[in-house]
Amino acid sequence: MERRRFLGLAALFPLTGCLSYFEENGEEITEPGDVEIVWDDLVRDNPGTEDERVYVWGVVRNVGERELSYIEIRATFLDAEGEELETVIENVEGDVSSGEEWPFDVEYPHFGEAAAEVESYELEPATGV
């Protein structure tokens, strides 16, 4: 258990360095409240085969007051019982002014039978720059 806690904390240090890079270079990290997910859907390719893929398509809107050039979207993929299978963070890049929208997709990292286990998902914006 201590090993997991250590690895979890160790994983945060590189992220902290990345975020401080943006802050030091004049970019400001925004709260996830500056981004709103306006549409999303679970998509399956090749269902029932060993090539089955699952991903979430969606559209986010900049609801903040300033232009954003980067946003992270966190997708948690769930099985039929609502148990977490995997969490994936995907980034969306592009200069988007206040009120504008842009598309994203987050792919489940496993194929075939593992992908077939995905029944639902949860989405949330993580950070924006």
Side-chain angles (χ1 to χ4, degrees), residues 51-116:
D51 295 326
E52 182 169 347
R53 291 179 41 213
V54 176
Y55 49 97
V56 176
W57 276 5
V59 175
V60 293
R61 178 182 298 134
N62 178 354
V63 294
E65 296 297 318
R66 64 186 192 88
E67 184 175 286
L68 296 176
S69 60
Y70 177 88
I71 183 73
E72 290 181 351
I73 303 293
R74 179 180 299 121
T76 303
F77 294 91
L78 309 168
D79 66 12
E81 288 78 39
E83 296 294 321
E84 182 179 324
L85 297 171
E86 190 87 35
T87 297
V88 179
I89 296 178
E90 189 64 48
N91 64 316
V92 180
E93 296 183 36
D95 295 335
V96 179
S97 298
S98 179
E100 290 186 2
E101 298 177 350
W102 71 107
F104 70 90
D105 64 89
V106 182
E107 185 172 354
Y108 184 68
H110 306 288
F111 298 91
E113 290 180 19

Side-chain angles (χ1 to χ4, degrees), residues 27-43:
E27 299 287 345
E28 180 182 330
I29 304 299
T30 65
E31 293 298 315
D34 289 344
V35 175
E36 176 182 79
I37 298 170
V38 294
W39 179 84
D40 58 270
D41 193 23
L42 185 69
V43 179

Side-chain angles (χ1 to χ4, degrees), residues 38 43 45 66 119 123 127:
V38 294
V43 179
D45 284 344
R66 64 186 192 88
E119 289 292 323
L123 288 177
T127 59

